[in-house]
Amino acid sequence: MGRIYFLFGTMYVMKSSIPLIVLSMLFPSYALDVDSFRNPDRSCRPETWFHLIGGNVSKEGMSADLDAIAQAGISGIHLFHGRSDFGAWPEVKKQIPCLSEDWDDLIRFVADCCEERGLVFKMQNCPGWSMSGGPWIAPSNAMRNLTYSRMDIIGGSPVAVELPIPRMPLPEVKISDEDRDYRDLFVLAFPTPECDEILLPAPEMVSERVEAGKFVRRRYRFPRPVTVNSVEIPNPHILSKRWAYDIGATVWVSAVYRDGKYLKTLVQSPVPNGCWQDNVPFTVSMGSDVRFEPTDTWDVEINCRHPLTVPYIRFHAGLRNHNWEGKAGWVLRGIRSCENLFCGYSEKKCINGDKVLDVTDRFFGGKLKWTPPEGRWTVLRIGHVNNGTKNGPAPPEATGWECNKMDPRGIDLHFSRYIGRLAKGPLAGGKLKGFIVDSWECRRQTWTENLERDFRELRGYDFRKKLPAVFGWVIDSPAKTDAFLRDWRQTLGELIEKNYYARMADIARENGLSAQYEAAFGDVLTGDILSFWKHCDTPMTEFWFPRAEEGVGQDDFKPILPCASSAHIYGKRRVSAEAFTTTRLKWSEDLKRLKACGNHAFARGVTHLVFHTYTHNPQVGWKKPGTSFGTRIGSPFIRGQAWWRHMPEFTAWAARCCTMLEGGKPANDILWFLGEDVDHKPNERSPFPHGYKYDYINRDALLSRITVTNGLFTTPDGTFWKVLWVPPSYRTPEVQAKLQEFAAAGGRVVYGRRTT
């Protein structure tokens, strides 16, 4: 039905009123009169992002910009303030620093001008476009990550050793020790697993075979025979940058014998899908129980359906959990694609969970004073640090650490110093209507002050002695380790949803503002890919221009379906989209090609457009077309464009499409249950369900939003689906009981094979 609405909407733009009449005959419940379609409500008209660039601003230019925006039929602006990479621009009389008194006056002027022209005024929630930070955030209130150092000791007698300051895993970005702000947490000790204490000698690469840039085979030779239990290869973002989210690669690791005449393949594993902010290696584990003799020669092969870059391969004697970096939430990476590859294992190579000791009370002033039992022991000093990310790209004077996303005190402080200060000062009286949270671009967070308490309350047990699993060790068995890490990443996601996204929505309502969120979970962050959008007023996705079969222009790079599905299952009328973002700016963009790209987005679930981007031009009466957002970023919706005079027709088309798409209920056939694995998002080009429209559904909505009525899976607002499809995945008893309840009530629950 959604596609029919859209096609009719397009036909009506071509001056035909018949399709609307036909629509009302075919779908009597679709209440829309011809006049409403011919003259859409202003709320259906597109909005635009509005970027200030450094101190290059002026009130004269602002008035001209906002006049042009209003005359083009755009209904409002989302104001962002980014940095300038080129300093002061020509003909700009005065640079106005962000956050200064002059800047406050300028923002007040923008709001007043918007009010005079009937434009809705919203702002990005921080300087720059990501995420929520500024100079008011101290390292102690920033995003924090776990870190550790290791020391091996011999037991049986008292030891008094200074444990090194933790540096592993490597920090997200290089910052000073003062900014890193290291804080101690725990000291754990466990009997060193077999082979874990062995440091392999450096191998020599003796041969390399490359085919078509998509296949690499390397042979390495050690100075002596060795046993390898783990191999690190580059992450998906490094392996094939444009295709990190859909890597399509496989890795083989083989032991080589008889002068290269016999290969014993020890592991063959798909490389899991990653994300564009993936910056940690991918660990391949030889967890198989296949027996093999040490050898001095090893082969590693990687093939990919996309061009490959393989800058390094590292071998380790110790056993590490397969894909532990993704399972522990250090990065968003596919989980289910790597399961069942690490079934056989040797208990001697794993940590015995019963023998993990908490010796924190023996640690004073950097020194461990302890008498360990007999044997070889591994000691981990565990702490946490500032993860080093800042809001950006913002003007230098408005740049600072990203606030803690797992503690409400983080966003409370941030809001009070930026949007809250403006709403109560220069923008008092309701001039500001709402704020936006752009897509998540500040990497990940793995620690916060109350995490130990929160984990215990949410999961029902203590995690302290299981923390080595977060750094890659296998505790007891792969299955038990993976079960804990599923709880771990689920907890991290829930704390961010509760203490950042839900809290921010509460703050918005307390201040009379609307909240609008772009993608986070399943895009860069591990967690529920649907539920965080339920907290905001308007779920927002994005699509890029031009459409392409690869890279940023293809459907699965920034998928629309998770956002649209969330809106459908949680009863949100609008699916907004940052529209026509590009990194291929050529100044040859035209409205016809933009419209075709927009058509595709509407058909996929978007209902409302927000242009990326209008760039403020402080110059009046100067050279056309003016300025762009960057040297190659953003489709230039600006008053100097040659086709700007045609914008009223373009915005009217977008408004009519919005009117049609938001005038009824979404009508899709199938609900696709995502399971409870806290995994990567599905591939939006998945072959099943082929030929049917579908929405995703998560655990939260399955348990709280769906009932079976007359055989249909129905939400409280009346949206319904005919089939619930449940692919193989981990399911809790609570979810399994709900599925049985649906089936007993007459719902069609189909258990099917997995699709990727």
Side-chain angles (χ1 to χ4, degrees):
M1 190 182 296
R3 292 189 178 186
I4 294 174
Y5 291 172
F6 172 68
L7 292 173
F8 286 162
T10 303
M11 292 170 66
Y12 190 83
V13 170
M14 296 186 290
K15 309 300 182 184
S16 171
S17 60
I18 296 176
L20 190 62
I21 298 171
V22 173
L23 179 65
S24 63
M25 293 171 62
L26 292 174
F27 307 105
S29 62
Y30 190 87
L32 181 68
D33 59 74
V34 174
D35 187 61
S36 295
F37 184 66
R38 183 179 288 118
N39 301 293
D41 188 83
R42 188 167 184 80
S43 65
C44 291
R45 291 192 168 274
E47 297 172 330
T48 186
W49 283 9
F50 186 87
H51 281 92
L52 312 182
I53 308 298
N56 298 294
V57 293
S58 75
K59 291 184 177 179
E60 297 80 8
M62 200 69 70
S63 292
D65 286 338
L66 296 174
D67 280 342
I69 287 171
Q71 292 162 9
I74 296 171
S75 64
I77 68 169
H78 302 180
L79 188 141
F80 291 66
H81 198 154
R83 69 168 182 258
S84 172
D85 293 328
F86 303 101
W89 294 350
E91 302 295 312
V92 178
K93 299 174 183 177
K94 179 183 178 182
Q95 293 286 302
I96 298 180
C98 186
L99 307 179
S100 65
E101 290 186 10
D102 286 343
W103 183 83
D104 281 4
D105 180 62
L106 179 81
I107 298 301
R108 181 189 299 109
F109 178 80
V110 174
D112 289 341
C113 287
C114 285
E115 192 170 23
E116 291 170 3
R117 292 159 177 78
L119 300 174
V120 175
F121 179 53
K122 303 174 187 176
M123 292 183 70
Q124 159 67 0
N125 84 100
C126 73
W129 68 63
S130 182
M131 261 298 281
S132 297
W136 40 82
I137 301 298
S140 59
N141 196 26
M143 297 175 70
R144 309 288 296 187
N145 274 343
L146 286 170
T147 184
Y148 77 95
S149 65
R150 168 182 178 165
M151 177 174 283
D152 288 354
I153 59 177
I154 302 298
S157 59
V159 297
V161 294
E162 188 165 340
L163 301 181
I165 295 175
R167 291 284 176 183
M168 295 292 293
L170 294 175
E172 297 277 7
V173 293
K174 292 183 178 180
I175 55 179
S176 70
D177 285 344
E178 181 181 0
D179 289 335
R180 195 168 180 267
D181 188 41
Y182 173 76
R183 309 287 179 92
D184 276 313
L185 285 170
F186 322 115
V187 178
L188 303 179
F190 50 85
T192 306
E194 183 180 89
C195 295
D196 205 68
E197 77 280 6
I198 298 175
L199 182 64
L200 296 179
E204 176 189 4
M205 187 175 72
V206 295
S207 67
E208 181 180 45
R209 175 184 164 195
V210 179
E211 293 182 3
K214 298 182 180 181
F215 173 89
V216 175
R217 175 188 290 165
R218 291 180 183 168
R219 176 159 293 179
Y220 292 86
R221 184 162 292 139
F222 290 84
R224 58 177 171 79
V226 299
T227 298
V228 171
N229 282 293
S230 305
V231 175
E232 283 184 10
I233 68 171
N235 61 61
H237 184 59
I238 292 177
L239 285 175
S240 193
K241 184 174 182 179
R242 294 168 65 86
W243 289 99
Y245 52 90
D246 187 18
I247 186 69
T250 304
V251 57
W252 289 263
V253 180
S254 304
V256 183
Y257 302 95
R258 302 174 193 168
D259 295 325
K261 296 178 181 179
Y262 176 66
L263 276 69
K264 191 173 189 66
T265 299
L266 301 177
V267 65
Q268 175 185 343
S269 168
V271 177
N273 290 340
C275 67
W276 69 275
Q277 282 205 329
D278 193 337
N279 68 331
V280 293
F282 166 50
T283 295
V284 182
S285 296
M286 267 56 75
S288 172
D289 55 3
V290 176
R291 296 189 178 275
F292 64 96
E293 295 296 324
T295 179
D296 63 353
T297 307
W298 292 80
D299 276 6
V300 178
E301 299 179 16
I302 306 174
N303 71 12
C304 185
R305 61 173 176 258
H306 312 296
L308 270 174
T309 300
V310 187
Y312 66 85
I313 293 173
R314 303 186 184 112
F315 297 86
H316 299 282
L319 177 68
R320 293 295 180 270
N321 196 3
H322 193 81
N323 190 26
W324 68 267
E325 302 90 346
K327 293 175 181 177
W330 290 102
V331 66
L332 175 68
R333 199 174 283 164
I335 304 298
R336 280 174 283 182
S337 61
C338 286
E339 67 182 11
N340 299 326
L341 296 168
F342 192 35
C343 300
Y345 67 98
S346 168
E347 290 184 358
K348 294 180 180 180
K349 296 178 183 179
C350 303
I351 294 174
N352 184 330
D354 292 334
K355 294 184 178 181
V356 177
L357 304 179
D358 181 359
V359 294
T360 308
D361 59 352
R362 272 86 161 175
F363 180 68
F364 307 95
K367 272 192 175 181
L368 177 66
K369 296 181 180 180
W370 178 48
T371 303
E374 294 282 347
R376 183 179 292 273
W377 287 78
T378 294
V379 178
L380 302 185
R381 179 181 178 182
I382 300 172
H384 61 101
V385 295
N386 174 7
N387 88 342
T389 52
K390 296 183 177 182
N391 64 304
E397 66 273 11
T399 299
W401 305 118
E402 279 288 342
C403 76
N404 186 343
K405 309 296 191 298
M406 293 184 181
D407 189 315
R409 292 173 294 184
I411 192 58
D412 284 354
L413 174 63
H414 171 68
F415 183 88
S416 69
R417 298 296 294 273
Y418 191 65
I419 293 294
R421 181 185 70 81
L422 291 171
K424 295 176 181 178
L427 304 180
K431 295 178 181 179
L432 182 66
K433 306 303 180 185
F435 63 79
I436 301 91
V437 181
D438 198 356
S439 55
W440 186 284
E441 298 183 15
C442 53
R443 305 193 190 278
R444 273 73 46 187
Q445 181 174 350
T446 55
W447 186 257
T448 191
E449 179 181 343
N450 296 314
L451 182 55
E452 197 170 18
R453 178 203 68 191
D454 293 338
F455 186 96
R456 187 184 305 112
E457 291 177 355
L458 289 168
R459 308 278 87 89
Y461 64 93
D462 293 321
F463 67 64
R464 185 179 297 193
K465 292 185 179 183
K466 298 180 183 294
L467 276 181
V470 176
F471 305 120
W473 276 274
V474 180
I475 302 179
D476 291 329
S477 72
K480 290 182 179 179
T481 302
D482 287 354
F484 161 66
L485 292 178
R486 181 173 54 243
D487 286 347
W488 174 261
R489 61 183 181 272
Q490 181 177 350
T491 301
L492 299 184
E494 287 178 359
L495 291 180
I496 291 173
E497 179 183 332
K498 173 186 175 183
N499 295 317
Y500 180 63
Y501 285 107
R503 176 57 188 154
M504 195 147 39
D506 289 341
I507 295 174
R509 284 184 274 274
E510 291 166 7
N511 288 270
L513 302 171
S514 66
Q516 196 159 327
Y517 299 162
E518 275 205 14
F521 300 102
D523 185 48
V524 170
L525 198 62
T526 54
D528 190 314
I529 70 172
L530 303 180
S531 62
F532 77 104
W533 270 307
K534 74 180 180 181
H535 302 289
C536 67
D537 299 283
T538 307
M540 191 172 187
T541 183
E542 60 186 283
F543 63 90
W544 289 52
F545 174 83
R547 284 195 61 215
E549 295 304 316
E550 64 177 40
V552 298
Q554 70 94 15
D555 290 352
D556 209 41
F557 173 69
K558 289 288 187 179
I560 288 171
L561 189 55
C563 184
S565 296
S566 181
H568 297 167
I569 64 175
Y570 286 112
K572 309 284 184 179
R573 181 176 66 95
R574 172 157 292 178
V575 179
S576 190
E578 170 195 330
F580 311 116
T581 312
T582 187
T583 55
R584 303 179 185 180
L585 175 60
K586 296 180 179 178
W587 290 97
S588 60
E589 297 77 16
D590 63 80
L591 295 178
K592 181 178 180 180
R593 292 175 65 219
L594 291 170
K595 181 174 179 288
C597 184
N599 285 347
H600 185 68
F602 283 135
R604 291 170 61 209
V606 169
T607 68
H608 182 253
L609 302 185
V610 182
F611 300 140
H612 186 294
T613 185
Y614 194 108
T615 306
H616 166 56
N617 185 355
Q619 305 144 331
V620 178
W622 209 57
K623 297 177 181 178
K624 290 185 177 183
T627 183
S628 66
F629 173 52
T631 56
R632 60 184 180 89
I633 303 176
S635 298
F637 288 88
I638 54 177
R639 55 183 155 93
Q641 267 284 13
W643 40 256
W644 190 256
R645 66 185 184 277
H646 299 296
M647 278 294 290
E649 289 81 7
F650 188 73
T651 56
W653 155 77
R656 287 171 181 143
C657 290
C658 179
T659 300
M660 297 293 283
L661 292 166
E662 294 181 359
K665 301 268 185 205
N668 292 324
D669 302 294
I670 296 169
L671 276 176
W672 175 341
F673 180 50
L674 295 172
E676 301 178 81
D677 289 300
V678 196
D679 201 0
H680 207 294
K681 65 180 182 290
N683 189 319
E684 194 147 318
R685 298 171 296 162
S686 297
F688 180 85
H690 181 70
Y692 294 90
K693 293 283 286 182
Y694 61 94
D695 284 312
Y696 303 133
I697 187 168
N698 56 353
R699 168 191 165 92
D700 175 67
L702 188 85
L703 296 177
S704 66
R705 294 276 302 171
I706 299 296
T707 56
V708 174
T709 306
N710 298 324
L712 302 174
F713 297 90
T714 309
T715 63
D717 54 279
T719 302
F720 62 85
W721 299 262
K722 299 174 184 176
V723 175
L724 174 63
W725 181 59
V726 184
S729 65
Y730 166 78
R731 292 193 293 273
T732 58
E734 187 178 17
V735 165
Q736 189 60 40
K738 178 61 73 170
L739 296 176
Q740 293 170 352
E741 176 187 317
F742 289 155
R748 187 178 178 186
V749 181
V750 177
Y751 295 87
R753 66 178 178 84
R754 177 172 302 143
T755 182
T756 57

